[in-house]
Amino acid sequence: MQFLHPVFTITILILICYSFLEVYGREIKNYKSVWIVVVVLILLAGFRKFVGADYGSYLNMYSYFPFNATYSDIFQKAFFQQNSLEVEWLFVFFNNLFFNFGFPFYIFTFFVAIVSLVPKFYVIEKNVAYPATALLLYIVPGFFIADCGQIRQGVGMALAIYSFRYIKKQNLPMFLFVMYFALGFHKSTVIFLPAYWIAKVPLNKTKIIALVLFCMILSPFQIYNYFSALNSIAPQEIYQGFSDYVDIEGPSSGGVKFLDLISLLYLFFIIFFDKETCKKIPYYEYMRNLGVAGICLYFIMRGSPIFSTRLPGTYMFFTALILPNNLAVIENLSYKKFLHLILVLFVIFYYFVFGNYQAVNGRFTPESYQNYLWD
């Protein structure tokens, strides 16, 4: 049984304690001190040393692009002009900026960690009754894969998630403005552009079940193979290392997958607590729609380790908002505590799944994790 490095284990245990305080409290209380945990996560991600599946690639990029990509190339890409720049323009802009100012790579990753984590928790805090519980549900494995791994997508996701602020306000120009910068960090965030309209689609339990069942039926047909544009978002040959890192069962495994069970757990909460949560939590139906979209995308892309993890990611983030809000509206205290315990046990179980299947390659174990703050 593989544990994560003590700094991660202790941080997760602290979040579990906060989660119990939230759910077992007499009234809903927002603990501002959870921001301290967010700061710790920023330090753990930002100052990590040769940690994360893609760390080596980004380290090489840091010294490569300043000598091979001019600011003219970058701004051409920003205005959708064709050139030889293969990596998203805004990431290369900050990469070159930090390098040219003489900052070491860990200062750049520290900046990236701030931009990646602060918007995510800001959205959590503004939209979730139990923010610490939502962060707990996100951290395993989202924090390790996105914020400590594929950092371009981590930042792109953060900006796309922040755009939820403008979905609620029905401010389309600002939504598109934020999404433009999200695309500047990772082109896979283009999949989130329909979110502005998806959030407003009227759904109920019957429609949700029908949609998910329809997507499950589509799964064996691998319809994503007929859309060549998807390869430009997440090309298989470039991200094989990422595929090996995130895929637990392996591409050839048959039957029910671990991620299938997770998606069905999310669906259980969405269906059984839909009506009550819609009544009591502002804009819950928007979060629910985006979470359902993530589940549907997962099942459609299920046959591809790359597409099924990269493309639904931003939508699936909203499941971490949905479940704590579902808990908050349950009036039967014993039932609420029981379901909360199920979620905590799920996080603990996922902790060990991640520890045994992915943490070794990502160097998150006690033997391999290093940080510039103490090494």
Side-chain angles (χ1 to χ4, degrees):
M1 187 176 290
Q2 180 66 63
F3 287 84
L4 301 182
H5 191 280
V7 291
F8 298 118
T9 303
I10 292 169
T11 302
I12 291 170
L13 288 174
I14 290 170
L15 278 177
I16 289 174
C17 291
Y18 268 115
S19 181
F20 273 97
L21 287 173
E22 287 176 337
V23 175
Y24 282 63
R26 293 183 178 180
E27 58 183 28
I28 293 177
K29 183 178 179 181
N30 188 336
Y31 293 91
K32 290 293 183 181
S33 51
V34 178
W35 275 101
I36 297 173
V37 178
V38 177
V39 171
V40 170
L41 292 174
I42 289 170
L43 296 177
L44 296 179
F47 290 106
R48 70 192 189 281
K49 184 179 180 181
F50 294 97
V51 172
D54 300 297
Y55 190 92
S57 299
Y58 283 110
L59 181 60
N60 292 333
M61 285 184 196
Y62 192 61
S63 56
Y64 172 81
F65 282 117
F67 299 102
N68 293 277
T70 65
Y71 286 104
S72 175
D73 293 330
I74 293 169
F75 289 116
Q76 280 180 1
K77 202 74 171 181
F79 290 100
F80 306 105
Q81 298 177 28
Q82 291 295 323
N83 60 26
S84 59
L85 188 62
E86 295 181 359
V87 174
E88 290 81 0
W89 72 274
L90 194 52
F91 178 84
V92 177
F93 172 79
F94 283 110
N95 181 103
N96 290 9
L97 193 66
F98 275 74
F99 183 89
N100 290 332
F101 273 106
F103 291 117
F105 182 60
Y106 60 81
I107 297 298
F108 176 62
T109 54
F110 175 59
F111 162 76
V112 169
I114 293 172
V115 181
S116 184
L117 283 163
V118 169
K120 289 170 185 169
F121 189 67
Y122 172 84
V123 171
I124 286 173
E125 190 180 50
K126 295 295 183 182
N127 297 281
V128 182
Y130 299 145
T133 306
L135 184 60
L136 177 65
L137 289 169
Y138 167 74
I139 195 173
V140 183
F143 167 75
F144 297 101
I145 291 176
D147 307 305
C148 292
Q150 227 305 318
I151 56 177
R152 281 164 41 233
Q153 186 168 20
V155 176
M157 283 177 59
L159 294 177
I161 289 162
Y162 181 77
S163 73
F164 183 66
R165 169 188 176 94
Y166 300 109
I167 294 177
K168 292 194 303 181
K169 292 183 176 181
Q170 299 186 33
N171 188 334
L172 181 58
M174 282 303 299
F175 169 77
L176 294 175
F177 180 72
V178 174
M179 284 302 302
Y180 169 72
F181 289 110
L183 285 163
F185 277 101
H186 204 277
K187 54 193 170 187
S188 69
T189 54
V190 71
I191 202 75
F192 197 70
L193 279 174
Y196 185 87
W197 296 273
I198 290 173
K200 301 170 189 176
V201 174
L203 291 178
N204 54 36
K205 294 179 183 180
T206 304
K207 291 180 180 178
I208 291 170
I209 294 171
L211 278 171
V212 175
L213 285 176
F214 177 70
C215 294
M216 292 173 75
I217 292 169
L218 287 179
S219 180
F221 297 101
Q222 299 185 355
I223 61 172
Y224 48 83
N225 289 325
Y226 300 98
F227 297 94
S228 58
L230 292 175
N231 282 316
S232 67
I233 297 175
Q236 299 274 5
E237 67 277 6
I238 292 178
Y239 295 118
Q240 186 57 47
F242 178 85
S243 170
D244 295 340
Y245 173 56
V246 301
D247 192 34
I248 294 172
E249 293 103 340
S252 61
S253 60
V256 178
K257 294 187 175 186
F258 179 65
L259 293 177
D260 297 346
L261 299 176
I262 293 175
S263 298
L264 292 175
L265 173 67
Y266 296 155
L267 188 62
F268 165 81
F269 275 84
I270 291 170
I271 291 171
F272 277 84
F273 303 104
D274 181 66
K275 192 172 182 180
E276 202 63 28
T277 317
C278 284
K279 288 180 181 178
K280 296 183 178 180
I281 302 294
Y283 298 103
Y284 170 77
E285 63 275 17
Y286 286 11
M287 298 176 242
R288 176 206 61 199
N289 284 14
L290 299 179
V292 169
I295 294 171
C296 289
L297 264 177
Y298 164 73
F299 281 113
I300 291 172
M301 307 291 180
R302 180 178 178 272
S304 167
I306 291 294
F307 297 152
S308 64
T309 51
R310 277 182 174 261
L311 298 186
T314 307
Y315 288 101
M316 291 296 281
F317 174 86
F318 287 88
T319 59
L321 281 63
I322 292 167
L323 272 60
N325 281 332
N326 292 152
L327 285 178
V329 302
I330 299 174
E331 295 182 357
N332 186 312
L333 192 58
S334 298
Y335 188 39
K336 178 188 289 191
K337 290 180 179 179
F338 170 73
L339 289 177
H340 172 254
L341 181 61
I342 294 296
L343 290 182
V344 171
L345 291 175
F346 162 72
V347 171
I348 294 171
F349 174 68
Y350 210 157
Y351 168 95
F352 286 109
V353 170
F354 181 82
N356 284 278
Y357 285 93
Q358 300 161 311
V360 175
N361 288 343
R363 297 175 61 86
F364 297 109
T365 62
E367 300 80 18
S368 58
Y369 178 77
Q370 299 178 75
N371 192 293
Y372 281 101
L373 292 178
W374 59 76
D375 284 329

